Amino acid sequence: MHSTQIRQTFTDFFTSRGHHQVPSSSLIPDDPTLLLANAGMNQFKPYLLGEITPPFLRATSIQKCARTSDIDNVGRTNRHATFFGMMGNFSFGDYFKEDAIAFAWELMTRGYGLEEDRLWITVFEDDDEAEAIWRRIGVPAGRIQRLGMEDNYWSMGVPGPSGPSSEISYDRGPAFGKEGGPAVDGERYIELWNLVFMQTLRGEGPAKKDYPIIGELPGKSIDTGLGLDRLAAILQGAENVCTTDLLLPTLTTVQELADREYPGDGEEKVSFQVVAEHARSAAYLIADGVLPAKDGRGYILRRLMRRAIRHARLLGITGPVLPSATASVINNLGDVWPELTAQAALIEQVVTAEEESFTRTLAQGTRLLDAAITRTRGNRSASLPGETAFELADTYGFPLELTVEAARDAGLTVDEDRFATLLDEQKKRAKTGGKAKTAEALKKMDAYRELAARLPRTDFVGYERLSAESTVTGLIVNGIVVPTAAEGTEVELVLDRSPFYAEAGGQIGDTGTLTLHDGTRLEITDTRYGLEGFRVHTARVLEGELHTGAVGEARVDAERRAGLMRSHSATHILHAVVMATLGDHARQQGSLVEPDRLRFDFAHFTALTPDQLTAIETAVNGHVLDDPRVRAWQADRAEAEAAGAIALFGEKYGDTVRIVDIGDFSRELCGGTHVAHGSQVGAFRLLGESSIGSSLRRVEALTGHSTLRHQDTERRLLKELANLLGTRPADAPDALRKRLDALAAAQEKLSRLRTEELRERAGQLADQAQPTGQGQLVVQHVTGITPDELRGVTTNTLARLSHGPAVVILGAEHDGKALLTAAISPELHLHGTQAGQILAQAARAVGGGSGGRGPLASAGGRHPENLAQALELASHEATRLLGED
């Protein structure tokens, strides 16, 4: 059964039984506790928690999921993958265990035709009810096993909805492992479908077990997940997920690139599967708006790509692998997941840029590793320090496995225990910071949920007007719901009706005032979403005492809102112009819309040229001057997409969406506020362009009054510069260029004179050398010299002492600090003497330390008054060395 038929069979089965078909959400979840969508229920979490009343009681979806918790098992087992399709059916307070189990059994045995006697069931150890239902269906007791919380109590891995589960596993036969059911062998008895009986709320704790259950959900619901990849492997008789029709074309591409056949076992087999599987994951992540980064979900993508590249190198593939591998993913799955096809150009450019970058990293890491191996051998150590391996991995992205392999080839080991300790310390620091942020977010979310459970959603009227008669319906202080707030208190409040736009789509939240009928006054400093459709206003009580139920006038800062509208409309125009100039791949990846100022991030792989920046700025201003009409309208999602509306990466949209048109050149899904006509944007000015990550560029720009103020500042600066140069503003560049040329010539002449002066000084110092022991010694306090010049004079002086062993020690004062340098002749250095030995005591005398190994050393300190003493100490040490045979 082809994967397309597997999907369709699942969808048809549940839609025919009253389930509403819901599209997959983005891999970028609308949930602060998750980096990536890891289950079909993620998008339904607000329904399960009772935050939002679901528009349907039954749903079915095929969700894109990404999990990297088992990344090391990819290729080593037949079932693990970092990306997979999760087919699910859901009930929100409608049916429960009886129907969920019956549906699953019917679909597995009749819909997919799996043999009943090869299906095994696990239930939570205390769930007598679930086992009884399975027994009534006809599953014998011998094929039902009870397992504990780690195996049969499901959650997202973070605090939230949870519940006991029942899993359906398929016996693949003796060739895949030993007998005994899923409790004994997860490779032979492969888990296919997990039925979760959502009824509890889990707290903080380990992801798999021992986390506390802190309460009950508002109602009992069903959340199931049937793995498309694993089921395809069973129905297609494939050994593993990489040899199903979902990944086989990509695996074949890797074989062609490696010029060898996919083996039946061994490390090469692992590498083949890692490259194919990770290429698929990378394609989906990029298509949903994830780009390589140093942390967060961007780091997950980077890790997957680099792991694939490393395994490709292990297969002997020296050229690019990811462009071809991801292209095969798109060709194979683009019809089912059109976002892959739509973002094909972006995927190709991101993986190409990342592979080129990592190839350079591997080359740089190899050079650094070779140097570290040489040092280790020079120290007569048999083990490369764990600190070195960690620095290579953490700073340069050089994998530990390659470090171990290279060290082994050099006859060395790696202190992997120390490496593991350093890595664990880093993870603990990251986890501690993440936990603190998560705990704070969860505390606020609990307060928001408490209010949302009894309050209607905010009626937003800010598109039509900037003030409204509003009632305070809820108050939160320090994450706790309260009835009152005293004067001077920082408070979050909920209004029944609000003209304040809540931060979304890059546009920051509105500010303003709330003046109540009882005389209480508040300053609204920010507006954000607490939950979907639930606006939270951050405020300070300026006067009086605030009470829940108080009524008054909420008024938006009109001038600030006008600036925001100018910038938001300019962002849409800029987006259209950037894509027209650079290509469709250059889509918006993020933005910040502030009053008369904007920041715009987009996908691109090289710096923009001055000509491109000029063309973009000119085109934006041209559109503004044409004064296009700005129109907002609503449609269902399918109609909007058919009309060509651009949906932004990472944004969440409902079934009904708001579309903003600017003339006939820009159409985007957008909930923000905008000007009515393009000319109201005013003048547009690009400030600059920069890189903010691999394959990601950023431009910043001004609009409206900020542009005029900026241009006025530039005009005044140019006039002042012209006055200083004694010329007209139009002639200032040429006049300045002439002055700079003359200055450069003068500096070059001065540099030549200074070089000659220092040569003469070195000659004079050499003439003052004193015969000492077996050689010659120069010790002098010099003045009027920089640190670099001091080192140069020291080595130049030594070069003039060409007969026998010699030492030169110079001291100087510079910027209130003592400077010392010492140089020794090759005869001394070849006998094991280090210049640093001469300055060790001297450096302590001036309150500092010395540095440099070999024939030249420097030292410095905070006590230049002790310079004479330091030179004397250094002189004694040099005399001792020169007196030795």
Side-chain angles (χ1 to χ4, degrees):
M1 186 181 285
H2 193 275
S3 58
T4 302
Q5 187 181 352
I6 296 173
R7 295 187 194 93
Q8 196 61 52
T9 298
F10 187 90
T11 300
D12 290 346
F13 180 88
F14 283 105
T15 55
S16 68
R17 287 157 179 77
H19 291 67
H20 180 78
Q21 185 177 352
V22 180
S24 171
S25 65
S26 168
L27 282 168
I28 302 176
D30 187 22
D31 186 332
T33 66
L34 292 175
L35 278 179
L36 295 168
N38 64 1
M41 56 75 62
N42 290 167
Q43 64 175 314
F44 303 123
K45 181 179 173 183
Y47 302 162
L48 299 171
L49 291 172
E51 297 171 356
I52 299 176
T53 301
F56 34 73
L57 295 179
R58 299 182 177 196
T60 184
S61 70
I62 301 177
Q63 173 66 43
K64 295 176 290 187
C65 294
R67 294 182 194 170
T68 56
S69 55
D70 293 316
I71 188 171
D72 292 329
N73 289 325
V74 172
R76 300 192 179 278
T77 71
N78 292 315
R79 68 186 193 277
H80 285 105
T82 57
F83 173 89
F84 52 91
M86 185 63 82
M87 304 187 292
N89 60 289
F90 307 87
S91 164
F92 310 113
D94 186 12
Y95 61 84
F96 202 48
K97 294 182 184 179
E98 189 88 39
D99 287 337
I101 290 173
F103 285 151
W105 187 255
E106 181 183 355
L107 180 55
M108 292 296 260
T109 58
R110 298 182 189 174
Y112 292 123
L114 295 179
E115 308 95 311
E116 293 185 11
D117 61 355
R118 299 185 74 169
L119 296 177
W120 285 66
I121 308 299
T122 62
V123 297
F124 183 54
E125 57 191 358
D126 296 335
D127 197 345
D128 297 333
E129 181 186 4
E131 180 176 359
I133 295 170
W134 284 114
R135 294 282 297 275
R136 287 198 298 272
I137 278 181
V139 180
R143 292 210 311 276
I144 302 175
Q145 296 179 325
R146 293 188 181 226
L147 299 177
M149 196 166 190
E150 182 171 356
D151 295 293
N152 277 90
Y153 209 99
W154 195 89
S155 75
M156 294 190 301
V158 295
S162 62
S165 69
S166 180
E167 297 176 353
I168 304 175
S169 298
Y170 182 83
D171 180 4
R172 304 195 74 180
F176 289 87
K178 55 189 174 182
E179 294 184 5
V184 173
D185 193 328
E187 280 295 296
R188 172 174 171 174
Y189 301 90
I190 186 170
E191 176 206 334
L192 295 178
W193 204 343
N194 190 14
L195 316 177
V196 184
F197 312 126
M198 286 291 189
Q199 58 194 77
T200 56
L201 189 65
R202 70 158 280 186
E204 190 68 62
K208 285 288 187 182
K209 58 181 179 179
D210 297 335
Y211 51 77
I213 301 301
I214 60 176
E216 297 287 321
L217 293 176
K220 293 182 177 180
S221 297
I222 289 295
D223 155 35
T224 85
L226 172 58
L228 172 62
D229 296 61
R230 294 183 182 182
L231 182 58
I234 300 299
L235 295 177
Q236 295 173 13
E239 180 194 21
N240 56 60
V241 296
C242 286
T243 53
T244 67
D245 68 290
L246 293 162
L247 273 170
L248 186 57
T250 305
L251 190 64
T252 301
T253 298
V254 179
Q255 291 181 76
E256 293 169 353
L257 292 170
D259 194 24
R260 69 180 74 182
E261 292 297 317
Y262 170 65
D265 52 29
E267 290 301 312
E268 278 197 359
K269 177 183 178 182
V270 173
S271 293
F272 270 108
Q273 292 184 212
V274 167
V275 177
E277 198 283 330
H278 287 6
R280 178 177 66 166
S281 298
Y284 277 91
L285 286 167
I286 297 167
D288 272 8
V290 181
L291 291 175
K294 293 181 179 179
D295 53 18
R297 57 180 66 96
Y299 175 74
I300 292 173
L301 171 62
R302 172 162 285 164
R303 183 185 179 197
L304 288 167
M305 289 195 288
R306 290 188 167 188
R307 198 163 185 263
I309 295 164
R310 185 175 68 82
H311 276 274
R313 300 298 179 261
L314 294 177
L315 291 173
I317 303 174
T318 57
V321 64
L322 287 179
S324 298
T326 53
S328 73
V329 173
I330 297 167
N331 292 334
N332 184 37
L333 300 170
D335 290 342
V336 179
W337 301 100
E339 59 268 35
L340 291 172
T341 303
Q343 300 302 329
L346 176 63
I347 293 168
E348 180 184 7
Q349 295 188 57
V350 170
V351 299
T352 299
E354 185 66 19
E355 185 155 4
E356 290 173 351
S357 172
F358 188 50
T359 299
R360 291 192 296 271
T361 293
L362 287 174
Q364 180 185 29
T366 300
R367 289 194 298 271
L368 294 169
L369 179 57
D370 289 344
I373 289 172
T374 301
R375 285 197 306 272
T376 302
R377 283 172 162 171
N379 295 333
R380 297 183 178 180
S381 172
S383 178
L384 196 72
E387 286 81 1
T388 300
F390 183 76
E391 181 184 8
L392 284 167
D394 187 53
T395 305
Y396 301 100
F398 198 80
L400 174 64
E401 296 89 338
L402 291 186
T403 300
V404 171
E405 182 180 335
R408 185 172 58 244
D409 292 343
L412 302 173
T413 60
V414 176
D415 187 349
E416 294 187 59
D417 289 340
R418 178 60 179 159
F419 177 92
T421 299
L422 293 169
L423 183 63
D424 186 57
E425 289 173 356
Q426 183 191 62
K427 287 180 178 178
K428 284 179 179 177
R429 289 193 296 270
K431 192 173 183 181
T432 299
K435 275 189 174 180
K437 292 180 181 178
T438 300
E440 183 180 347
L442 289 172
K443 184 179 178 182
K444 281 193 172 187
M445 289 299 290
D446 287 341
Y448 297 155
R449 291 190 188 104
E450 181 181 340
L451 290 178
R454 57 184 173 82
L455 297 178
R457 296 296 180 264
T458 307
D459 178 17
F460 176 61
V461 297
Y463 291 135
E464 300 83 19
R465 54 186 187 272
L466 297 181
S467 65
E469 182 88 352
S470 302
T471 301
V472 178
T473 57
L475 297 175
I476 299 172
V477 176
N478 295 325
I480 300 173
V481 177
V482 297
T484 62
E487 186 173 309
T489 303
E490 298 286 341
V491 63
E492 291 181 298
L493 58 96
V494 179
L495 303 174
D496 66 334
R497 182 181 301 104
S498 175
F500 293 94
Y501 179 82
E503 180 172 338
Q507 181 176 331
I508 63 174
D510 279 333
T511 63
T513 59
L514 176 62
T515 306
L516 302 172
H517 295 334
D518 64 4
T520 301
R521 292 190 305 110
L522 289 86
E523 178 188 13
I524 306 295
T525 57
D526 196 11
T527 310
R528 295 175 180 269
Y529 282 108
L531 300 170
E532 187 176 337
F534 190 78
R535 280 174 167 75
V536 177
H537 308 74
T538 303
R540 181 178 177 82
V541 183
L542 299 177
E543 183 179 346
E545 184 176 60
L546 179 62
H547 297 269
T548 303
V551 180
E553 183 188 42
R555 180 172 293 276
V556 174
D557 182 332
E559 183 176 347
R560 184 174 178 277
R561 167 71 83 82
L564 287 165
M565 292 162 65
R566 284 191 286 267
S567 293
H568 204 152
S569 296
T571 301
H572 281 223
I573 297 172
L574 175 62
H575 190 188
V577 168
V578 166
M579 286 197 297
T581 304
L582 303 177
D584 285 345
H585 70 274
R587 293 198 171 207
Q588 178 176 330
Q589 301 295 316
S591 69
L592 177 64
V593 176
E594 297 180 313
D596 287 349
R597 187 181 188 93
L598 66 92
R599 190 177 72 204
F600 181 77
D601 303 337
F602 58 97
H604 198 56
F605 311 97
T606 58
L608 272 63
T609 65
D611 287 346
Q612 286 175 320
L613 290 171
T614 299
I616 289 170
E617 183 179 88
T618 301
V620 171
N621 280 311
H623 283 306
V624 168
L625 288 172
D626 287 342
D627 196 25
R629 180 189 173 199
V630 180
R631 180 175 73 97
W633 51 288
Q634 290 190 331
D636 62 47
R637 180 71 184 271
E639 181 185 353
E641 290 178 351
I646 295 176
L648 301 184
F649 286 139
E651 292 295 323
K652 184 175 181 181
Y653 303 100
D655 291 335
T656 300
V657 294
R658 182 172 182 262
I659 303 104
V660 174
D661 290 345
I662 301 182
D664 59 0
F665 58 87
S666 172
R667 172 169 287 174
E668 293 189 22
L669 304 186
C670 181
T673 62
H674 290 269
V675 298
H677 289 272
S679 60
Q680 293 173 330
V681 168
F684 174 88
R685 180 68 179 272
L686 277 178
L687 293 179
E689 184 263 3
S690 63
S691 168
I692 57 168
S694 177
S695 311
L696 198 60
R697 311 299 300 181
R698 169 174 290 172
V699 294
E700 297 184 63
L702 303 176
T703 61
H705 298 301
S706 290
T707 303
L708 299 178
R709 286 192 292 268
H710 182 77
Q711 290 173 339
D712 185 56
T713 299
E714 287 187 330
R715 179 182 59 79
R716 285 188 286 104
L717 287 173
L718 179 59
K719 184 176 180 181
E720 182 179 350
L721 178 63
N723 289 338
L724 290 172
L725 292 169
T727 187
R728 298 178 305 166
D731 297 330
D734 284 339
L736 180 59
R737 194 174 295 111
K738 290 177 182 177
R739 295 282 181 94
L740 290 175
D741 289 344
L743 179 60
Q747 288 176 330
E748 184 178 353
K749 183 177 181 180
L750 285 173
S751 179
R752 288 197 302 269
L753 292 172
R754 180 62 172 169
T755 300
E756 186 58 36
E757 178 189 350
L758 293 174
R759 283 201 193 99
E760 290 178 5
R761 187 180 293 194
Q764 293 167 359
L765 289 169
D767 292 340
Q768 299 172 29
Q770 298 294 318
T772 304
Q774 303 289 323
Q776 302 177 80
L777 175 64
V778 175
V779 181
Q780 285 290 334
H781 181 179
V782 295
T783 59
I785 198 166
T786 68
D788 286 341
E789 290 174 342
L790 184 65
R791 285 189 291 272
V793 170
T794 302
T795 55
N796 204 342
T797 302
L798 181 69
R800 294 167 185 261
L801 304 174
S802 56
H803 304 293
V807 177
V808 176
I809 304 167
L810 301 182
E813 182 179 346
H814 183 75
D815 286 343
K817 294 181 180 179
L819 302 175
L820 292 162
T821 58
I824 61 176
S825 61
E827 293 92 336
L828 291 172
H829 186 228
L830 288 173
H831 282 83
T833 301
Q834 303 290 336
Q837 296 173 234
I838 297 172
L839 297 182
Q841 292 185 41
R844 287 193 288 272
V846 295
S850 61
R853 291 178 58 85
L856 178 66
S858 299
R862 301 182 301 275
H863 300 296
E865 65 274 13
N866 296 337
L867 195 56
Q869 177 189 353
L871 287 170
E872 185 176 352
L873 289 169
S875 177
H876 283 317
E877 180 64 18
T879 299
R880 185 184 69 80
L881 292 173
L882 288 169
E884 296 177 352
D885 291 331

